[in-house]
């Protein structure tokens, strides 16, 4: 009769506990790194915010600084910006409309392109995706001249669509949506087809709600890109009443006088829409970023 050997369970070696002093030193180093980064990131913004309440003479003399002398601070720059002769609200409204249309079109077009590249198997799919990714490697400055000639040929100079159309099919947005959706189970599509759902219904009613974090993440990034875009709108627009906010603020600097006080006040106020968008979608931002990275 064969003897049975007694098998002893393998136990994991106990993890080595970090010394309390070592943990404190690591915590202090991490805190200092984040503190330095916060100072470099928020410092210029805080200096601009404080300086936006100072009169223009002090701003020209001392520049941007952190000196908060309340005796020389007031809301006059903001009052002059909104009630003066500048067309600030016209620029603000133009930027708001252009950004809203650009973001909505970009999200829907890029979503359907990425949906086709991730959910359907067809010949040349990988080559097509590679070509989309390759466009990310080309700087916009190289594409600017042929794109400008194309806009002239389409008679879209000084037209809002001339600014909107070139940016509604971003390769980076397609890449992010595709990487997010490629990790989703295709059994959902098969089950929906068996239940009689159309392909359009599958993409809109089933897959689109699942990709809500990706939509929120891309909404923030697309809004920031469109809102702060200066170069391309400056090339397309000719009429002053169609200027966006960055172009309009730039017109405050003239050879006959630089209104730095109004420029800084207008720049600070222009941050508010981006801040609101970030607050609305912030809970989806990290979720979308991490999900896209892991599933990709």
């Amino acid at each position: 009769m064969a003897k049975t050997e007694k098998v002893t369970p393998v136990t994991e070696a106990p993890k080595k506990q970090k010394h309390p002093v070592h943990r404190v030193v690591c915590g202090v180093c991490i805190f200092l790194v984040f503190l330095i980064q916060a100072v470099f990131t928020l410092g210029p913004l805080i200096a601009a915010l404080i300086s936006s309440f100072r009169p223009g003479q002090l701003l020209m003399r001392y520049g941007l600084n952190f000196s908060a002398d309340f005796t020389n601070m007031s809301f006059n720059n903001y009052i002059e910006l909104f009630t003066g002769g500048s067309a600030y609200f016209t620029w603000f409204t133009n930027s708001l409309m252009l950004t809203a249309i650009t973001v909505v079109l970009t999200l829907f077009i890029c979503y359907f392109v990425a949906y086709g590249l991730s959910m359907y198997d067809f010949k040349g799919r990988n080559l097509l995706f590679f070509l989309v990714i390759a466009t990310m490697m080309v700087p916009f400055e190289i594409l600017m001249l042929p794109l400008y000639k194309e806009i002239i040929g389409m008679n879209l100079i000084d037209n809002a669509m001339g600014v909107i159309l070139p940016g509604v099919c971003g390769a980076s947005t397609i890449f992010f949506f595709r990487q997010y959706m490629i990790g989703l189970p295709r059994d959902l599509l098969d089950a929906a087809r068996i239940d009689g759902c159309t392909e359009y219904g599958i993409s809109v009613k089933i897959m689109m709600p699942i990709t809500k974090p990706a939509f929120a993440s891309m909404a923030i990034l697309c809004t920031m890109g469109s809102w702060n875009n200066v170069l391309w709108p400056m090339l397309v627009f000719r009429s002053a009443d169609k200027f966006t906010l960055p172009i309009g603020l730039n017109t405050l600097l003239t050879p006959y006088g630089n209104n730095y006080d109004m420029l800084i006040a207008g720049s600070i106020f222009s941050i508010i829409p981006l801040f609101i968008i970030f607050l609305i979608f912030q809970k989806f931002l990290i979720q979308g970023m991490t999900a896209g990275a892991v599933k990709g």
Side-chain angles (χ1 to χ4, degrees):
M1 185 176 179
K3 293 182 178 179
T4 58
E5 296 183 356
K6 187 177 181 180
V7 179
T8 55
V10 178
T11 57
E12 294 183 356
K15 293 183 178 179
K16 188 177 180 180
Q17 296 290 332
K18 292 184 178 179
H19 195 275
V21 176
H22 183 259
R23 283 189 295 179
V24 171
V25 171
C26 290
V28 171
C29 292
I30 293 173
F31 174 76
L32 290 177
V33 169
F34 280 109
L35 181 63
I36 293 172
Q37 183 178 1
V39 169
F40 278 98
T41 304
L42 298 177
L45 178 62
I46 294 174
L49 178 63
I50 295 173
S51 301
S52 66
F53 296 100
R54 292 201 192 105
Q57 296 83 356
L58 294 179
L59 196 59
M60 291 293 292
R61 183 179 302 172
Y62 301 108
L64 300 180
N65 55 57
F66 296 96
S67 176
D69 185 4
F70 292 102
T71 57
N72 294 321
M73 298 175 69
S74 65
F75 289 95
N76 290 338
N77 294 337
Y78 290 94
I79 295 173
E80 179 64 21
L81 181 69
F82 299 140
T83 61
S86 67
Y88 186 81
F89 277 117
T90 302
W91 305 332
F92 193 90
T93 305
N94 292 340
S95 284
L96 210 58
M97 295 296 294
L98 277 176
T99 301
I101 296 173
T102 303
V103 171
V104 171
L105 288 178
T106 300
L107 292 181
F108 277 89
I109 292 175
C110 293
Y111 167 77
F112 283 110
V113 174
Y115 180 80
L117 290 174
S118 59
M119 292 298 167
Y120 294 102
D121 294 323
F122 56 90
K123 191 176 181 180
R125 185 183 72 162
N126 293 332
L127 176 62
L128 187 60
F129 180 64
F130 173 78
L131 292 176
V132 171
I133 297 301
T135 60
M136 295 170 60
M137 313 299 172
V138 183
F140 178 74
E141 287 75 10
I142 296 177
L143 300 174
M144 193 166 55
L145 182 57
L147 194 59
Y148 184 68
K149 289 185 176 180
E150 188 175 344
I151 292 299
I152 292 176
M154 297 170 67
N155 199 22
L156 291 179
I157 290 295
D158 203 21
N159 190 309
M161 294 308 294
V163 178
I164 294 172
L165 287 180
V168 296
C169 198
S172 58
T173 308
I174 294 174
F175 174 76
F176 185 85
F177 271 122
R178 192 255 186 191
Q179 293 301 104
Y180 189 92
M181 286 189 285
I182 203 170
L184 299 178
R186 295 196 179 190
D187 296 340
L188 293 173
L189 279 71
D190 298 332
R193 290 188 182 111
I194 293 173
D195 290 340
C197 189
T198 62
E199 295 297 322
Y200 178 76
I202 294 172
S203 62
V204 174
K205 297 179 181 177
I206 296 177
M207 297 304 295
M208 195 173 282
I210 299 175
T211 56
K212 191 186 298 181
F215 269 100
S217 304
M218 289 297 100
I220 294 176
L221 297 179
C222 291
T223 301
M224 292 173 60
S226 178
W227 185 263
N228 296 322
N229 192 9
V230 181
L231 182 58
W232 183 245
M234 190 179 291
L235 290 175
V236 173
F237 286 136
R238 297 288 185 273
S239 305
D241 60 339
K242 296 181 181 178
F243 283 172
T244 56
L245 194 54
I247 305 174
L249 290 175
N250 192 48
T251 60
L252 296 176
L253 305 178
T254 65
Y256 308 103
N258 296 324
N259 300 314
Y260 285 113
D261 45 358
M262 293 175 61
L263 175 65
I264 293 179
S267 301
I268 292 296
F269 191 80
S270 68
I271 302 173
I272 294 177
L274 297 178
F275 189 67
I276 294 174
I277 292 292
F278 181 78
L279 288 180
I280 294 174
F281 295 112
Q282 62 167 340
K283 68 177 182 180
F284 297 108
L285 178 62
I286 303 300
Q287 183 183 354
M289 291 292 182
T290 54
V294 173
K295 290 174 182 177

